Amino acid sequence: MKRIGQLKFLVFWLLVGILFLLTVAVIIVYAAGYKVNFEQMSIQKTVLFIFKTTPKDAIVYINDKPQDQRTPIRLSGMLPDFYDFKIEQSGYQNWTKSVDAQEGIAYDFDSIVLFLESPLVEELVSPPEGISAAVPDPDLFVDNGEIWYKDKLV
């Protein structure tokens, strides 16, 4: 009878140890940037997307689905796939990008500028008072799309 109690005790701690090791392995794999892809039934390295816009607080759409968080936004743990991104904000032109995301890559879109839909355009007739019109520098010229200054290519 005593032997059965010892066997139960040993089996219990053996199962606890195995469960602990499996949990640690899952945490390490997740922390290293891997995720289970249930469609392909495989473990894949994930993709990271970072979006920073001017102006901030723009809505990010992934494959036409709005995200809860607004820019700046960091989207981690995404599986490799083809993604269509759209960033929009009221009064500004939309920004769009299609990405064929490869595993283990971080895509950093950190300088997205959203332009006004209706920018204010003013015609400048003459220079403001106190500012003289710029006199072109005779040493500066353009030749076949190249900029030259004092006979040196700039």
Side-chain angles (χ1 to χ4, degrees):
M1 200 69 154
K2 189 175 182 182
R3 190 150 175 89
I4 293 176
Q6 288 176 341
L7 186 61
K8 285 182 183 179
F9 180 79
L10 181 65
V11 169
F12 171 76
W13 284 109
L14 184 64
L15 289 175
V16 168
I18 291 171
L19 182 63
F20 175 77
L21 290 175
L22 285 174
T23 303
V24 168
V26 167
I27 290 171
I28 289 173
V29 167
Y30 180 76
Y34 288 88
K35 191 173 184 180
V36 176
N37 184 343
F38 292 105
E39 290 178 8
Q40 297 179 0
M41 294 308 292
S42 64
I43 297 176
Q44 289 185 304
K45 190 101 171 127
T46 58
V47 179
L48 170 68
F49 293 102
I50 299 171
F51 296 97
K52 295 178 186 171
T53 62
T54 302
K56 295 180 180 180
D57 296 323
I59 301 170
V60 177
Y61 292 84
I62 302 174
N63 297 335
D64 295 323
K65 294 177 186 170
Q67 301 301 297
D68 294 332
Q69 187 181 355
R70 293 178 174 229
T71 61
I73 185 173
R74 182 179 190 266
L75 304 168
S76 60
M78 298 183 66
L79 291 172
D81 202 352
F82 190 82
Y83 294 101
D84 289 317
F85 294 102
K86 179 173 76 171
I87 297 179
E88 70 176 30
Q89 189 168 29
S90 179
Y92 292 86
Q93 296 177 16
N94 293 343
W95 179 89
T96 59
K97 181 81 172 176
S98 295
V99 178
D100 186 10
Q102 304 299 314
E103 65 181 29
I105 305 290
Y107 296 88
D108 190 4
F109 303 104
D110 65 349
S111 54
I112 300 170
V113 178
L114 301 177
F115 295 99
L116 289 170
E117 286 180 348
S118 303
L120 178 62
V121 179
E122 294 181 2
E123 185 175 332
L124 183 61
V125 178
S126 63
E129 189 175 315
I131 299 177
S132 63
V135 177
D137 189 338
D139 293 327
L140 181 68
F141 64 95
V142 177
D143 183 26
N144 290 330
E146 299 175 334
I147 301 174
W148 291 82
Y149 182 71
K150 293 187 178 180
D151 297 325
K152 292 183 182 176
L153 181 62
V154 180

